[in-house]
Amino acid sequence: MSKVKPTEYDPKRHTDVETIKVNSNYLRGTLEESLQREVTGAVADDDQMLIKFHGSYQQDDRDLRNERRKQKLEPLYSFMIRARLPGGVATSEQYKVLADIAQKYGGSSLRLTTRQTYQWHGVFKRDLKKTIAGINTALVDSIAACGDVNRNVMANPLYETSKLHQEVYEWSKKISEHLLPNTNAYHEIWLDGEKVETTEEPIYGKTYLPRKFKIAIAVPPYNDVDVYANDIGLVAIAEGDKLIGFNILAGGGMGSSHGDPETYPRVASVLGFCRPQDTLATVEAILKVQRDYGNREVRKLARLKYTVDRLTVDGFKDILADYLGWQLDEAKPFEFEHNGDRYGWIQTDDGNWHLTLYIHSGRIKDSEQSKVFSGLLAIADIHDGEFRCSPNQNLIISNVTEENKAAIEGILSEHNISIGEAETPTRLNSLACVAFPTCALAMAEAERYLPTLIDKIEDQLEQHGISEVPINIRMTGCPNGCARPYLGEIGFVGKAPGKYNLYLGASHQGDRVNKLYRENINEAQILEELSPIFESFAANRKDGEFFGDYVVRQGYVNAVHNGSDFHS
């Protein structure tokens, strides 16, 4: 194929966001001045883009927006902060610091994200610097947790289960550190670090990446990180317990736009195999290809998935080989059997225990039903192991000694914290994004509404005798796909308040996206559509057949792996 010239910044053609990055003095912008302006709870318009690179989004309380407008008040602005935590691992001491920050500045609420880390919501601008500085006292940071850079690197969180998992976790840290921005802006603005002139970004350049960039590492047979949903996926290949390298996947991504067939979710394509010693060079080269060839003129078409499709997979591999100086080897065979979490207690060879808790939509907060926040703090006081975020919004209390196991079980019982024993498999396999009231992009509810809808779906599953069959259900308040709705065997994507697009047919292993089945329907219509499909599934499913495979086999939807046929 003819070579495509790498993109260079052109103010006449490229988006305003590209201009903001170029003029930001390597992500500094006017953030320091914005933080000092007391007349508003917001930061300057350009800084709202730049602050993402520092791990934060400006938001406002949409439940109060209309009332404040009537009172001629500005929206109640606040900020979400996301930690960079490769592999999702924090010690008990670190967790206590992060929870203390939530008590002081985040409404006594922490949130576990689908990127395997912690988020704080509702932090006011006056507390923003204190919050980020506080996070850093735990030897955790938020740099590059958001923005047009590589974000938190995900990996299987139960690495004690084998030497291989431990090695993969170490790779998540190496990749994360290797792909960090070079600028000193984060330390200057949030940590009062010495001001050091940034002369270059060796990996990112002045324009950084065209859009966000995500990496995950999976260890077969578990695809708990949803490796196909990432810009780069690494699949660990082992001989026995020895890591011999990674299959490299590229071009996954979840976002789309309603009514726009040019946008679509995509599962990553397998490019080939690399040895461990070539891993950092390979992921860096893929990132640089996206940096140079990604679309900077139309931001909604700027993710790596569109670059791969525009260049074709073979064309992308050729360009990658030019950047590397060698071709990737042929991919090794692998197979996934599962892409959810394993709840309850697991004991490893060293005698320690690991407990996966069920945390609905990842919200660590005390409620009338469950004192999750208080209970986890009580555990942290007696536990000397780790608190690990799962990729599916749950929490793992890890490396529990035999002596501490009973005490932790007592705290869980006292605070009514679930370990997945009372919930149906479908509820345990559900994900939801935050949506209302804080997300600016939300068109409908997700986190606050999904439990109610699942109650009614569970009634139907029980009625048809299939309540013990796990069905992956994903819900988001908009089509950007933060809770990976397009990998749900049943996916709900918000269209308007109380209205959702219904998607069916993703694979239970996470290697096939679903397809639009019904558009813009309310709860009653959702239940009316699903009930006869559940009835048919109960009567006609093959032994061990998953729901997503069944609806494709029966022709409710066609199988979709990639491309714009996803929309119809």
Side-chain angles (χ1 to χ4, degrees):
M1 61 169 289
S2 61
K3 296 294 184 183
V4 178
K5 290 185 178 181
T7 56
E8 296 177 358
Y9 170 64
D10 182 347
K12 294 179 180 178
R13 294 188 298 114
H14 291 166
T15 66
D16 291 344
V17 173
E18 299 302 308
T19 302
I20 291 170
K21 289 184 284 187
V22 168
N23 294 335
S24 71
N25 187 19
Y26 295 100
L27 307 181
R28 293 170 176 85
T30 59
L31 272 167
E32 288 189 304
E33 294 88 337
S34 282
L35 294 174
Q36 294 168 6
R37 290 189 68 215
E38 297 181 356
V39 296
T40 176
V43 296
D45 289 347
D46 287 359
D47 292 335
Q48 290 177 35
M49 172 57 62
L50 296 176
I51 202 170
K52 296 176 185 179
F53 291 82
H54 299 260
S56 181
Y57 279 80
Q58 180 176 297
Q59 302 178 328
D60 75 283
D61 191 328
R62 295 178 64 179
D63 287 347
L64 302 177
R65 188 183 286 179
N66 290 336
E67 184 59 33
R68 291 182 69 85
R69 186 180 293 126
K70 290 177 184 176
Q71 297 178 28
K72 298 184 178 179
L73 298 172
E74 76 170 11
L76 185 59
Y77 291 116
S78 65
F79 293 80
M80 179 276 284
I81 303 168
R82 181 181 300 149
R84 182 181 67 93
L85 201 68
V89 179
T91 67
S92 286
E93 290 303 313
Q94 287 175 316
Y95 180 83
K96 285 194 284 188
V97 174
L98 305 184
D100 179 65
I101 291 167
Q103 287 179 306
K104 289 179 178 176
Y105 308 120
S108 295
S109 170
L110 269 172
R111 195 170 194 277
L112 303 166
T113 80
T114 53
R115 286 227 61 81
Q116 202 177 15
T117 186
Y118 297 99
Q119 283 183 181
W120 295 259
H121 289 260
V123 178
F124 293 121
K125 187 175 79 170
R126 63 175 179 266
D127 298 322
L128 194 53
K129 186 169 181 175
K130 290 180 284 188
T131 305
I132 293 177
I135 293 167
N136 276 262
T137 65
L139 302 181
V140 177
D141 60 50
S142 62
I143 186 171
C146 316
D148 297 346
V149 286
N150 177 59
R151 300 187 176 187
N152 198 51
V153 179
M154 299 167 67
N156 181 289
L158 269 177
Y159 57 74
E160 272 79 6
T161 50
S162 71
K163 177 184 174 184
L164 174 64
H165 286 77
Q166 170 71 36
E167 196 169 352
V168 164
Y169 166 64
E170 294 299 328
W171 274 110
S172 75
K173 294 193 293 184
K174 291 176 189 176
I175 293 169
S176 181
E177 293 295 324
H178 184 74
L179 297 179
L180 279 178
N182 186 56
T183 177
N184 198 51
Y186 181 86
H187 295 86
E188 293 173 14
I189 294 168
W190 309 108
L191 308 179
D192 293 325
E194 180 184 357
K195 294 188 183 299
V196 178
E197 182 182 1
T198 304
T199 57
E200 64 171 346
E201 283 278 11
I203 293 178
Y204 291 105
K206 278 192 172 183
T207 51
Y208 295 84
L209 295 179
R211 282 294 298 271
K212 58 189 175 183
F213 200 88
K214 299 178 178 181
I215 298 177
I217 313 175
V219 183
Y222 295 105
N223 184 22
D224 45 7
V225 297
D226 266 337
V227 70
Y228 289 97
N230 290 265
D231 294 271
I232 299 177
L234 295 92
V235 178
I237 304 298
E239 292 179 351
D241 214 20
K242 177 179 173 56
L243 179 70
I244 63 169
F246 297 100
N247 279 347
I248 303 296
L249 286 60
M254 288 290 96
S256 71
S257 297
H258 286 314
D260 186 349
E262 287 190 289
T263 67
Y264 47 85
R266 186 186 192 280
V267 293
S269 301
V270 179
L271 301 184
F273 173 83
C274 80
R275 299 169 300 169
Q277 61 265 36
D278 296 328
T279 301
L280 294 180
T282 301
V283 297
E284 179 183 322
I286 294 172
L287 184 147
K288 285 180 174 178
V289 174
Q290 167 63 354
R291 177 197 68 191
D292 294 341
Y293 289 86
N295 190 329
R296 295 183 186 268
E297 298 179 36
V298 183
R299 191 163 170 81
K300 66 181 179 179
L301 301 179
R303 288 291 297 276
L304 178 63
K305 59 184 176 181
Y306 301 118
T307 308
V308 172
D309 280 345
R310 189 176 75 250
L311 298 174
T312 75
V313 173
D314 287 341
F316 187 89
K317 289 166 67 174
D318 288 343
I319 294 171
L320 176 62
D322 288 343
Y323 278 63
L324 283 171
W326 71 83
Q327 293 272 3
L328 294 176
D329 292 337
E330 186 176 344
K332 310 290 187 185
F334 67 96
E335 187 175 356
F336 291 122
E337 298 174 359
H338 192 273
N339 78 333
D341 289 335
R342 293 159 283 169
Y343 295 92
W345 290 101
I346 295 175
Q347 188 175 26
T348 45
D349 291 341
D350 58 7
N352 285 344
W353 292 88
H354 311 268
L355 175 64
T356 301
L357 308 175
Y358 169 65
I359 311 288
H360 165 66
S361 293
R363 182 64 69 177
I364 300 175
K365 185 176 183 178
D366 286 348
S367 67
E368 292 182 5
Q369 294 77 30
S370 178
K371 305 296 182 186
V372 180
F373 192 94
S374 301
L376 291 179
L377 269 181
I379 291 173
D381 282 335
I382 67 167
H383 174 51
D384 57 3
E386 294 90 41
F387 283 67
R388 302 184 182 178
C389 308
S390 91
N392 297 296
Q393 300 179 313
N394 295 306
L395 195 68
I396 301 168
I397 311 300
S398 199
N399 280 315
V400 177
T401 61
E402 187 71 46
E403 295 76 20
N404 259 358
K405 187 169 180 278
I408 288 176
E409 287 178 330
I411 293 171
L412 295 172
S413 177
E414 178 185 349
H415 293 81
N416 198 28
I417 299 174
S418 171
I419 63 171
E421 293 179 324
E423 291 80 10
T424 66
T426 293
R427 190 176 293 268
L428 294 176
N429 280 276
S430 67
L431 296 177
C433 72
V434 174
F436 291 126
T438 53
C439 179
L441 301 175
M443 302 174 181
E445 293 280 2
E447 178 188 320
R448 297 193 296 193
Y449 169 58
L450 183 58
T452 301
L453 181 60
I454 287 185
D455 286 343
K456 297 174 182 179
I457 290 174
E458 284 175 333
D459 288 343
Q460 291 187 340
L461 296 176
E462 184 174 3
Q463 174 187 341
H464 298 300
I466 50 173
S467 58
E468 294 307 309
V469 178
I471 300 175
N472 288 340
I473 295 181
R474 311 280 179 84
M475 175 178 279
T476 57
C478 82
N480 285 281
C482 290
R484 307 190 287 270
Y486 308 114
L487 287 177
E489 293 175 285
I490 300 174
F492 300 105
V493 176
K495 194 77 182 291
K499 296 289 189 71
Y500 298 85
N501 285 354
L502 169 61
Y503 296 84
L504 299 176
S507 72
H508 199 77
Q509 293 76 27
D511 60 355
R512 181 181 70 237
V513 296
N514 50 29
K515 189 171 183 180
L516 180 63
Y517 182 68
R518 293 289 183 266
E519 190 171 3
N520 201 32
I521 58 177
N522 60 25
E523 180 183 280
Q525 293 168 312
I526 288 169
L527 297 172
E528 184 179 352
E529 292 289 348
L530 289 178
S531 185
I533 302 177
F534 290 150
E535 182 178 12
S536 174
F537 178 56
N540 301 306
R541 70 185 290 246
K542 297 177 181 178
D543 287 346
E545 187 174 27
F546 289 110
F547 181 76
D549 295 331
Y550 177 79
V551 297
V552 170
R553 180 170 67 85
Q554 291 293 92
Y556 290 100
V557 293
N558 296 324
V560 179
H561 290 272
N562 289 311
S564 57
D565 57 342
F566 152 86
H567 284 286
S568 59

